[in-house]
Amino acid sequence: MSHNTFGHLFRVTTFGESHGPAIGCVVDGCPPLLALDVADIQADLDRRRPGTSRFTTQRREPDTARILSGVMIDDSTGRQVTTGAPIAVLIDNVDQRSKDYSEIKDKFRPGHADYTYEAKYGLRDYRGGGRSSARETAARVAAGAIARKIIPAVRIRAALVQIGKLKIDRARWDWDETQRNPFFCPDAEAAARFADYLDGVRKSGSSVGAVVEVVAEGAPAGWGAPIYGKLDGELAAALMSVNAVKGVEIGDGFATAELSGEENADEMRAGADGRPQFLSNHAGGILGGISTGQTIVARFAVKPTSSILSPRRTVTRAGEDTDIVTTGRHDPCVGIRAAPVGEAMVACVLADAFLRHRGQVGG
Amino acid sequence: MSHNTFGHLFRVTTFGESHGPAIGCVVDGCPPLLALDVADIQADLDRRRPGTSRFTTQRREPDTARILSGVMIDDSTGRQVTTGAPIAVLIDNVDQRSKDYSEIKDKFRPGHADYTYEAKYGLRDYRGGGRSSARETAARVAAGAIARKIIPAVRIRAALVQIGKLKIDRARWDWDETQRNPFFCPDAEAAARFADYLDGVRKSGSSVGAVVEVVAEGAPAGWGAPIYGKLDGELAAALMSVNAVKGVEIGDGFATAELSGEENADEMRAGADGRPQFLSNHAGGILGGISTGQTIVARFAVKPTSSILSPRRTVTRAGEDTDIVTTGRHDPCVGIRAAPVGEAMVACVLADAFLRHRGQVGG
Amino acid sequence: MSHNTFGHLFRVTTFGESHGPAIGCVVDGCPPLLALDVADIQADLDRRRPGTSRFTTQRREPDTARILSGVMIDDSTGRQVTTGAPIAVLIDNVDQRSKDYSEIKDKFRPGHADYTYEAKYGLRDYRGGGRSSARETAARVAAGAIARKIIPAVRIRAALVQIGKLKIDRARWDWDETQRNPFFCPDAEAAARFADYLDGVRKSGSSVGAVVEVVAEGAPAGWGAPIYGKLDGELAAALMSVNAVKGVEIGDGFATAELSGEENADEMRAGADGRPQFLSNHAGGILGGISTGQTIVARFAVKPTSSILSPRRTVTRAGEDTDIVTTGRHDPCVGIRAAPVGEAMVACVLADAFLRHRGQVGG
Amino acid sequence: MSHNTFGHLFRVTTFGESHGPAIGCVVDGCPPLLALDVADIQADLDRRRPGTSRFTTQRREPDTARILSGVMIDDSTGRQVTTGAPIAVLIDNVDQRSKDYSEIKDKFRPGHADYTYEAKYGLRDYRGGGRSSARETAARVAAGAIARKIIPAVRIRAALVQIGKLKIDRARWDWDETQRNPFFCPDAEAAARFADYLDGVRKSGSSVGAVVEVVAEGAPAGWGAPIYGKLDGELAAALMSVNAVKGVEIGDGFATAELSGEENADEMRAGADGRPQFLSNHAGGILGGISTGQTIVARFAVKPTSSILSPRRTVTRAGEDTDIVTTGRHDPCVGIRAAPVGEAMVACVLADAFLRHRGQVGG
């Protein structure tokens, strides 16, 4: 609803800038009595953390999370559980190098939010991108780790399916492989090609875009709601809100424009459990904004990092022509680290959809 | 926020089913003293209205709007103006043929929301699709007409750029042409091809998808807000909430995945008015979730209508295998009438962004 | 959240002015499969309806409700039930006499919202008070009737406990009596005194205030939520939003200021069902913002109608001194008809609290 | 909207428990470029801080605030200003004595939220009251200090007007006096009586209630909005959400029930500036939910602290009868420290009303 909050019953508020003392989130509406340890959050943060391979920014951030509220030890089990109160998670900024910002503080970096923040607010926090830094996504990942606890039967995973013009071969899709290469790529062969390609991009000081696919298995039929609370609408908003994302699609997405009704509509047959068995999943698990019980599939496009070494034409805050080169640490492909962020956003949306569904319809 | 409401300061609530007595909307938060006549709303409704060409459903709905509240004659000017109170617009359903629903009431139509509504609510309104009918979009169009009054300097137009595999030639883009053919197609040559192609689809009782592009010119820099109130995030939610939409992209969208940072980031030069002049618009007028002052460009994919004449495999409510043929009136390509709906959604999002920007930042 | 919407999961949006074509509400988030007939709504509307005794305004409004959406006949039972879609209720304005407004349209009536609406919006709908008319409360009553269906185990009743300086004797409290006198007064003797007193007030063209008590029995422990979703906070907002209300209290309310901790805190003893049995109810059924399982008690003060026959000093829109006499139909004590309105607001708040509780905590 | 968030454009989210590592708030929607130093926040916190006199709890909390985000040094002025990003304020808990909770952890303290939290969530944080502790109000005060920056022309002050049965003499009202005695009492003579009286209460281990009045001067006409966004409705919700508050009234409040229309409705005369000059202020500065430009007056009743030394009857978590004595540090009259909290809540509501008004209506 607000600018830095999303969700309805399960609500996430984030705060913090790239180079301030800390970033964090407040997660409100979490059901009580869910086992939650800081290690659960840390595991997801570690997957998003920078500096784990040569393909991500070399900023060294341990991203150590602390839970400030909303949990306590349940005396009956000795486990730490949620209490139903808001859960605040704090992540200190450690490696916010005190550097010289004189090069960028008075110039608008093309492709960045520099000009728009300045146009809106009359000033901008030029230190590391301030609030618009991708660092904010760590707070989302922390929230997503909590969201997963609410819907433990739903397995949410993301995979990088395209870097630049290179795409995976879906026939080789292997989820385990996403844990083995630094790209969250489900195709080992493609991962090798991605590495070669991205080495070239990185060395030339350039950058490239990517496509990430998020898959949620195990959500029952009935989550989501017409009309403006559609599950696909909320997924679209959540994923589009991730830094650098320029497109979102559900199921076959843009490809459905080329399909006929016969090709697109997923037929059904009676399933063993009495519920319909869909014979295909062009819909990506959502019809009329409500989950079908099939696997939910969302895909998003991440634009290339705008921080590159080639000089680019721009203007100063004073309105004069100039050039700019964005030196310093950056990701040659921000799409890579967007994979755990995408998972987190989908987890938050689904947890919220589950709680609201239970609220309106019960059980 | 709620299931049938969207927006924050400018808020739209819609209600009504395809075959009930009426549909409508309540528009709250509209500034006072805006000239608003029912004819303003009717003009947009007439563009969305079915039955205006052989390419849309033959349901005959005059879609006559009545304003029930929120306006009065301003004695000083003699014009009807908004009062700041909620504006309720009612559109009676006229042609909700009393037909025999026995064929579909106990079967789930593939590609429709039949099964998911039933799974969620334990029943569904099978009469013409009930709440999930595209008829609901008439209420959105009414709201959009009001939204346009709030931001009169912003011109919002939509164009059909693809039907099935047929795409327009952007070199022939002519906005006037969108008024002349039944497809809102900006390319006269393509429109002719669309007509031929769609005649075939229609006669075979099939259907096909489409891509619509919405363009908003004249929005200043500074609208929208980080992080979860991003303009692109809200556009994505708004457009994805339109019936049958499966993908949304901003600016170059999914194509940015294939671009390098050099290609993608829009460079700037000092403009005559002291503000930056962008040298390209890959970003589609939005950076960091905030408008750049350039033209805002959003695109969405509409899946093919799921109502087709070929028999499809499905199951009954009782869980038995069966086949279904969706007879009756339908759009062979719902993407066509989605053009004015897309405009309306973009208008609502932008009006809301403007009001919130004015609230937080002033002026 | 918005100006003309309240509630979270159970959300009510109202619209309409005193002298427009109709008023109404859209109720969103209602669970499906609840039996709901228009007669259920009408029964509550009839209790609020003006003109039923000489003690209320003589405006003749049948207040006939129509349900436009959100219900259908459940084939399995033959009963009309909610579908989970938004329920729009329309109430036509019938007796909006076309009168001469020249006396009041350019003068601000003291105690009314005339000046504040004008100051805010730059104009005001002077016809019968426009949006600020107590007529809007009919829409609330309709919504409240729907809310009751969601929490059928909770019995919500209101009683007039004070008119002017006359108070009831609580020892004579008899709920049945509230159905027998035109004041919703639970004390037959007091009702007789109220009648005498109010006849005098009415004949002199004056008006007087009142206090209404709303009592909800049967709500379990656990509804409501800290900190800003406290049940008492939401009741306060809901009741204070009713026209002419100037104060709200829960349980012993303002009287608790004079109590000691020993007197105020309700002690407990083990109840037969294993749950605590409270030995008193100073808290009015709410502790820490959450229901205790005891009877919920809220009380609100209604100021005297500002429409009176004595000439009052005021100013014109042009800023000149003048006097005004408010002729025409009015309630000598608006507090009377506020009783069913108070019930409706409490019903809406409790239904919403129940749904949210079920959402966060389950079953 | 949510349980731990309030406000619309100006939004406050709080978190933290009495005995966790820290409490805090995230303030979202603050306009940019407002000078804001941590000292501004600290000044208000110091007024609410416990342990400043013998009449408040002896818990020693320095309540030192840190701003984690949303501010930066404006290079052009050298002053720290808001950036428009969310402002997180953290207040470490210092004196959360590690005590033995065995006495209270399995018993429900009468008048506290112990039983209701347990009934709702299935467990409760028994350490110092957990989330239901009055300690949470420190976060509100921090938020209120930020809110004041948004509406610098509005002066918001609170005064204790009643303790137990002792009331101030309004003829002796002196705002300066509220700074001189430990009660925020505007009547020096009453303050002396309060001291004597409260010494007795304190020594006997008892407690007593109070009434606090909050006064806001300088708000223009036009803030607030019908119908469910009424300024008085939002004030009521905000003040009722403060711990131990059981009643809220605006202007003459409950006393209006006894008034006639002639006595109650504030007459007007043309003011020097062309705007109406009200001849009285029974309305407390709000008509129809919108500010009149007069002084806004709200009053709230605070129940006596439920922590008292007399043994009270209660039950255990296991459902057995027992007695309890609440030893430990507590406020004999929590109403005292509620004064700065009330100010903060009113500041937040007014700042939010101002921003929303500017959003809908402009300038």
Side-chain angles (χ1 to χ4, degrees):
Chain A
M1 187 80 197
S2 168
H3 300 153
N4 293 280
T5 296
F6 72 100
H8 305 260
L9 282 191
F10 180 80
R11 292 169 70 83
V12 178
T13 300
T14 71
F15 60 88
E17 286 87 31
S18 172
H19 285 54
I23 62 171
C25 65
V26 183
V27 174
D28 197 9
C30 191
L33 297 173
L34 301 177
L36 177 69
D37 200 83
V38 73
D40 300 320
I41 295 171
Q42 199 62 52
D44 275 2
L45 281 173
D46 288 347
R47 296 172 62 232
R48 192 216 71 103
R49 191 156 56 83
T52 53
S53 83
R54 69 183 184 275
F55 303 109
T56 61
T57 173
Q58 295 308 301
R59 179 170 173 169
R60 297 285 169 192
E61 283 290 355
D63 278 353
T64 306
R66 281 183 294 149
I67 300 179
L68 296 185
S69 63
V71 294
M72 70 177 294
I73 303 295
D74 182 356
D75 292 334
S76 63
T77 64
R79 302 186 62 180
Q80 180 166 280
V81 297
T82 58
T83 63
I87 304 167
V89 179
L90 203 68
I91 302 168
D92 287 322
N93 288 330
V94 171
D95 188 20
Q96 71 275 44
R97 290 188 196 170
S98 95
K99 60 174 272 193
D100 180 8
Y101 293 108
S102 55
E103 172 65 13
I104 62 160
K105 67 183 266 201
D106 291 322
K107 295 179 180 178
F108 300 125
R109 293 170 299 162
H112 281 282
D114 295 354
Y115 170 61
T116 54
Y117 269 64
E118 185 104 16
K120 181 174 194 73
Y121 296 118
L123 87 170
R124 74 187 154 93
D125 191 337
Y126 45 77
R127 300 164 297 176
R131 181 72 181 143
S132 72
S133 165
R135 186 144 183 70
E136 186 269 344
T137 59
R140 303 175 187 233
V141 170
I146 298 170
R148 289 180 201 261
K149 297 285 179 171
I150 299 171
I151 45 170
V154 183
R155 185 171 197 182
I156 302 162
R157 293 180 287 189
L160 195 78
V161 298
Q162 180 179 345
I163 283 191
K165 290 188 168 63
L166 305 180
K167 300 182 183 180
I168 63 158
D169 178 349
R170 288 177 172 268
R172 282 197 295 265
W173 192 295
D174 174 7
W175 276 113
D176 291 341
E177 182 56 30
T178 60
Q179 315 292 322
R180 287 193 290 257
N181 64 63
F183 304 109
F184 302 98
C185 177
D187 168 357
E189 238 174 80
R193 284 184 292 131
F194 287 3
D196 281 350
Y197 173 64
L198 211 54
D199 271 330
V201 169
R202 182 172 56 84
K203 286 170 185 164
S204 68
S206 184
S207 66
V208 71
V211 175
V212 176
E213 184 166 318
V214 189
V215 172
E217 296 161 289
W223 289 3
I227 297 289
Y228 306 114
K230 281 181 178 169
L231 199 51
D232 32 9
E234 298 196 344
L235 288 170
L239 294 171
M240 193 70 97
S241 79
V242 176
N243 304 47
V245 172
K246 299 300 285 185
V248 179
E249 57 183 13
I250 304 296
D252 284 4
F254 276 88
T256 62
E258 306 198 357
L259 298 180
S260 68
E262 288 79 4
E263 293 164 326
N264 179 69
D266 303 305
E267 295 181 285
M268 287 165 267
R269 275 293 171 242
D273 58 357
R275 284 178 298 185
Q277 180 85 23
F278 288 91
L279 306 183
S280 55
N281 189 14
H282 298 286
I286 302 173
L287 284 175
I290 300 171
S291 62
T292 62
Q294 293 178 278
T295 297
I296 294 169
V297 181
R299 218 170 292 107
F300 59 95
V302 186
K303 72 179 185 183
T305 319
S306 298
S307 297
I308 48 176
L309 290 184
S310 308
R312 307 301 290 160
R313 289 173 288 177
T314 189
V315 297
T316 66
R317 293 178 72 205
E320 290 170 349
D321 286 350
T322 186
D323 282 3
I324 192 165
V325 173
T326 320
T327 56
R329 305 165 294 179
H330 73 271
D331 288 279
C333 177
V334 280
I336 298 172
R337 293 203 290 137
V341 179
E343 288 178 13
M345 296 308 287
V346 170
C348 291
V349 167
L350 292 179
D352 191 30
F354 160 63
L355 296 179
R356 279 184 288 156
H357 175 73
R358 184 166 69 177
Q360 185 180 10
V361 179
Chain B
M1 188 82 198
S2 167
H3 300 153
N4 292 281
T5 296
F6 72 99
H8 306 259
L9 282 190
F10 180 81
R11 292 170 70 84
V12 177
T13 300
T14 71
F15 60 87
E17 285 87 32
S18 172
H19 285 54
I23 61 170
C25 65
V26 182
V27 174
D28 196 9
C30 191
L33 297 174
L34 302 176
L36 177 69
D37 201 84
V38 73
D40 301 318
I41 294 170
Q42 198 61 53
D44 276 2
L45 281 173
D46 288 347
R47 296 171 61 231
R48 192 214 73 102
R49 192 156 56 82
T52 55
S53 83
R54 70 182 183 275
F55 303 108
T56 61
T57 172
Q58 297 307 301
R59 179 169 173 170
R60 298 286 168 191
E61 282 291 354
D63 278 352
T64 305
R66 281 183 294 149
I67 300 178
L68 296 185
S69 64
V71 294
M72 70 176 295
I73 303 295
D74 182 358
D75 292 335
S76 63
T77 64
R79 301 186 63 179
Q80 180 167 281
V81 297
T82 58
T83 63
I87 303 166
V89 178
L90 203 68
I91 303 168
D92 288 321
N93 287 331
V94 170
D95 188 20
Q96 70 275 45
R97 288 188 197 170
S98 93
K99 60 177 270 193
D100 180 9
Y101 293 107
S102 54
E103 172 66 12
I104 63 163
K105 66 182 266 201
D106 290 322
K107 295 180 181 179
F108 300 126
R109 293 169 300 162
H112 280 281
D114 294 354
Y115 170 62
T116 54
Y117 270 64
E118 185 105 15
K120 182 176 193 72
Y121 298 118
L123 87 171
R124 73 187 155 92
D125 191 338
Y126 46 76
R127 299 163 298 177
R131 181 73 181 141
S132 72
S133 165
R135 184 142 184 72
E136 186 269 345
T137 60
R140 303 174 188 233
V141 169
I146 297 170
R148 290 181 201 262
K149 297 284 178 172
I150 298 171
I151 46 170
V154 183
R155 185 172 196 180
I156 301 162
R157 293 180 288 189
L160 195 78
V161 298
Q162 181 179 344
I163 283 190
K165 291 186 169 65
L166 305 181
K167 300 182 183 181
I168 64 158
D169 177 350
R170 286 175 175 270
R172 280 197 297 263
W173 192 294
D174 174 7
W175 277 113
D176 291 341
E177 182 57 30
T178 60
Q179 314 292 322
R180 286 192 291 257
N181 63 63
F183 305 107
F184 302 99
C185 176
D187 169 357
E189 239 174 78
R193 284 185 293 131
F194 287 4
D196 282 350
Y197 173 63
L198 212 54
D199 272 330
V201 169
R202 182 171 57 84
K203 286 170 184 164
S204 69
S206 183
S207 66
V208 72
V211 176
V212 176
E213 183 167 320
V214 189
V215 172
E217 296 161 290
W223 289 2
I227 298 291
Y228 306 113
K230 282 181 176 169
L231 199 50
D232 32 9
E234 299 195 344
L235 288 170
L239 294 172
M240 194 70 96
S241 79
V242 176
N243 305 47
V245 172
K246 299 301 283 185
V248 179
E249 57 183 12
I250 305 295
D252 284 5
F254 276 87
T256 63
E258 306 199 355
L259 298 181
S260 68
E262 289 79 2
E263 293 164 327
N264 178 68
D266 303 305
E267 296 181 286
M268 288 166 264
R269 276 294 172 241
D273 58 358
R275 284 178 297 185
Q277 180 85 23
F278 288 90
L279 306 182
S280 55
N281 189 15
H282 298 286
I286 302 173
L287 284 174
I290 300 171
S291 63
T292 63
Q294 292 177 278
T295 296
I296 294 168
V297 180
R299 217 170 292 106
F300 59 94
V302 186
K303 73 179 185 184
T305 318
S306 297
S307 297
I308 48 178
L309 290 185
S310 308
R312 308 299 291 159
R313 289 173 288 176
T314 190
V315 297
T316 65
R317 293 179 72 203
E320 290 170 348
D321 285 350
T322 185
D323 282 2
I324 191 166
V325 172
T326 320
T327 55
R329 305 164 295 177
H330 73 271
D331 289 280
C333 175
V334 280
I336 298 171
R337 293 202 290 137
V341 179
E343 290 179 12
M345 296 309 285
V346 170
C348 290
V349 167
L350 292 179
D352 190 31
F354 161 62
L355 295 179
R356 278 184 290 158
H357 175 73
R358 184 165 72 177
Q360 185 180 12
V361 179
Chain C
M1 187 80 197
S2 168
H3 300 153
N4 293 281
T5 297
F6 73 100
H8 305 260
L9 281 191
F10 181 81
R11 292 170 71 82
V12 178
T13 300
T14 70
F15 62 87
E17 285 87 32
S18 172
H19 285 54
I23 62 170
C25 65
V26 182
V27 175
D28 197 9
C30 191
L33 297 173
L34 302 176
L36 177 69
D37 201 83
V38 73
D40 301 318
I41 295 171
Q42 198 62 53
D44 275 3
L45 282 173
D46 288 347
R47 295 172 60 231
R48 192 214 72 101
R49 193 157 55 83
T52 53
S53 83
R54 68 183 184 275
F55 303 109
T56 61
T57 173
Q58 297 308 301
R59 179 170 173 168
R60 298 284 170 194
E61 284 291 354
D63 278 352
T64 307
R66 281 184 294 151
I67 300 178
L68 297 185
S69 63
V71 295
M72 69 177 295
I73 303 295
D74 182 356
D75 292 334
S76 62
T77 64
R79 301 186 63 179
Q80 180 167 279
V81 297
T82 58
T83 63
I87 304 166
V89 178
L90 203 67
I91 303 167
D92 287 322
N93 288 330
V94 170
D95 189 19
Q96 71 274 46
R97 287 188 197 169
S98 95
K99 60 175 269 193
D100 180 9
Y101 293 107
S102 54
E103 173 65 13
I104 63 162
K105 65 183 267 200
D106 291 322
K107 295 179 180 179
F108 300 126
R109 294 170 299 162
H112 280 282
D114 294 354
Y115 170 62
T116 54
Y117 269 64
E118 184 104 15
K120 182 174 193 74
Y121 297 118
L123 87 171
R124 73 186 155 93
D125 190 339
Y126 45 77
R127 299 163 298 176
R131 181 72 181 142
S132 72
S133 166
R135 184 144 184 70
E136 186 270 343
T137 59
R140 303 175 188 233
V141 170
I146 298 171
R148 289 180 201 262
K149 297 285 178 171
I150 298 171
I151 45 171
V154 184
R155 185 172 198 182
I156 302 162
R157 293 180 288 188
L160 195 77
V161 298
Q162 181 179 344
I163 283 191
K165 291 186 169 64
L166 305 180
K167 301 182 183 181
I168 64 158
D169 177 349
R170 287 177 172 269
R172 282 198 295 264
W173 192 294
D174 174 6
W175 277 114
D176 290 342
E177 182 58 30
T178 60
Q179 314 292 323
R180 287 192 289 256
N181 64 63
F183 305 108
F184 302 98
C185 177
D187 168 358
E189 241 175 77
R193 285 184 293 130
F194 287 2
D196 282 349
Y197 173 62
L198 211 54
D199 271 330
V201 169
R202 183 171 57 84
K203 285 170 185 162
S204 68
S206 184
S207 65
V208 71
V211 175
V212 176
E213 184 167 317
V214 189
V215 172
E217 296 161 291
W223 290 2
I227 298 290
Y228 306 113
K230 282 181 176 167
L231 199 51
D232 32 8
E234 299 196 343
L235 288 170
L239 294 173
M240 194 69 99
S241 79
V242 176
N243 304 46
V245 173
K246 298 302 284 184
V248 179
E249 57 183 13
I250 305 295
D252 284 4
F254 276 88
T256 62
E258 306 199 357
L259 299 181
S260 68
E262 289 78 4
E263 293 164 327
N264 180 68
D266 303 305
E267 295 181 286
M268 288 166 265
R269 275 294 171 244
D273 57 358
R275 284 178 298 184
Q277 180 85 23
F278 288 91
L279 307 182
S280 55
N281 189 14
H282 299 286
I286 302 173
L287 284 174
I290 300 171
S291 62
T292 63
Q294 292 177 278
T295 297
I296 294 169
V297 181
R299 218 170 293 103
F300 59 95
V302 186
K303 71 178 185 184
T305 319
S306 298
S307 297
I308 48 177
L309 290 184
S310 308
R312 307 301 290 160
R313 289 172 290 177
T314 190
V315 297
T316 65
R317 293 179 72 205
E320 290 169 350
D321 285 351
T322 186
D323 283 3
I324 191 166
V325 172
T326 320
T327 56
R329 307 165 291 177
H330 73 271
D331 288 280
C333 177
V334 280
I336 299 171
R337 292 202 291 137
V341 179
E343 289 179 12
M345 295 309 285
V346 170
C348 290
V349 167
L350 292 179
D352 191 29
F354 160 61
L355 296 179
R356 279 184 290 156
H357 176 73
R358 184 166 69 176
Q360 186 181 9
V361 179
Chain D
M1 188 78 198
S2 168
H3 301 153
N4 293 280
T5 296
F6 71 99
H8 304 260
L9 282 190
F10 181 81
R11 290 171 71 84
V12 178
T13 300
T14 71
F15 61 87
E17 285 87 32
S18 173
H19 285 54
I23 61 169
C25 65
V26 182
V27 175
D28 196 9
C30 190
L33 297 174
L34 302 176
L36 177 69
D37 201 84
V38 73
D40 300 320
I41 295 170
Q42 197 62 53
D44 275 3
L45 281 173
D46 288 346
R47 296 171 61 230
R48 191 212 74 101
R49 193 155 55 82
T52 54
S53 84
R54 69 182 184 276
F55 303 109
T56 61
T57 172
Q58 296 308 300
R59 178 169 173 170
R60 297 285 170 192
E61 282 291 355
D63 278 353
T64 306
R66 280 184 295 149
I67 301 179
L68 297 185
S69 63
V71 295
M72 69 177 296
I73 304 295
D74 182 356
D75 293 333
S76 63
T77 64
R79 302 186 62 180
Q80 180 166 282
V81 297
T82 59
T83 63
I87 303 167
V89 178
L90 203 68
I91 303 168
D92 287 322
N93 287 331
V94 170
D95 188 20
Q96 70 274 44
R97 290 187 194 170
S98 94
K99 59 176 270 191
D100 179 8
Y101 293 108
S102 53
E103 172 66 12
I104 63 162
K105 65 183 267 200
D106 291 321
K107 296 180 180 179
F108 301 126
R109 294 170 299 162
H112 280 282
D114 294 355
Y115 170 62
T116 54
Y117 270 64
E118 185 104 14
K120 183 175 192 71
Y121 297 119
L123 87 171
R124 73 187 155 93
D125 190 339
Y126 46 77
R127 299 164 298 175
R131 181 72 182 142
S132 72
S133 166
R135 184 142 185 72
E136 186 269 345
T137 59
R140 303 174 188 235
V141 169
I146 298 170
R148 289 181 201 262
K149 297 285 178 171
I150 298 171
I151 46 170
V154 183
R155 185 172 196 179
I156 301 161
R157 293 180 289 189
L160 195 79
V161 298
Q162 181 180 344
I163 283 190
K165 290 186 169 64
L166 305 180
K167 300 182 183 182
I168 64 158
D169 177 350
R170 287 178 173 269
R172 281 198 296 264
W173 192 294
D174 174 7
W175 276 114
D176 291 341
E177 182 56 30
T178 60
Q179 314 293 320
R180 287 193 290 256
N181 64 63
F183 305 107
F184 303 99
C185 176
D187 169 356
E189 240 174 78
R193 284 185 291 131
F194 287 3
D196 282 350
Y197 173 63
L198 213 52
D199 272 329
V201 168
R202 183 171 56 85
K203 286 170 185 163
S204 68
S206 183
S207 65
V208 72
V211 175
V212 177
E213 182 167 320
V214 190
V215 172
E217 295 160 291
W223 290 1
I227 298 292
Y228 307 112
K230 281 181 177 170
L231 200 51
D232 32 10
E234 300 196 343
L235 288 170
L239 294 172
M240 194 69 97
S241 79
V242 176
N243 304 47
V245 172
K246 298 303 283 185
V248 179
E249 58 183 12
I250 305 295
D252 284 3
F254 276 87
T256 62
E258 305 199 357
L259 298 181
S260 69
E262 289 78 5
E263 293 164 326
N264 178 68
D266 303 305
E267 295 180 287
M268 288 165 265
R269 274 294 171 243
D273 58 358
R275 284 177 298 185
Q277 181 85 23
F278 288 90
L279 306 182
S280 56
N281 189 14
H282 298 285
I286 302 173
L287 284 173
I290 300 171
S291 62
T292 63
Q294 293 177 279
T295 296
I296 293 168
V297 181
R299 217 170 293 106
F300 58 95
V302 185
K303 72 178 185 184
T305 318
S306 298
S307 297
I308 48 178
L309 290 184
S310 308
R312 308 299 291 160
R313 288 172 290 177
T314 190
V315 297
T316 64
R317 293 179 72 203
E320 290 169 348
D321 285 351
T322 186
D323 281 3
I324 191 166
V325 173
T326 319
T327 55
R329 306 163 295 177
H330 73 271
D331 288 280
C333 176
V334 281
I336 299 172
R337 293 203 291 137
V341 179
E343 290 180 11
M345 295 310 284
V346 170
C348 290
V349 167
L350 292 179
D352 190 31
F354 160 62
L355 296 179
R356 278 183 291 157
H357 175 73
R358 184 165 72 177
Q360 187 181 9
V361 179

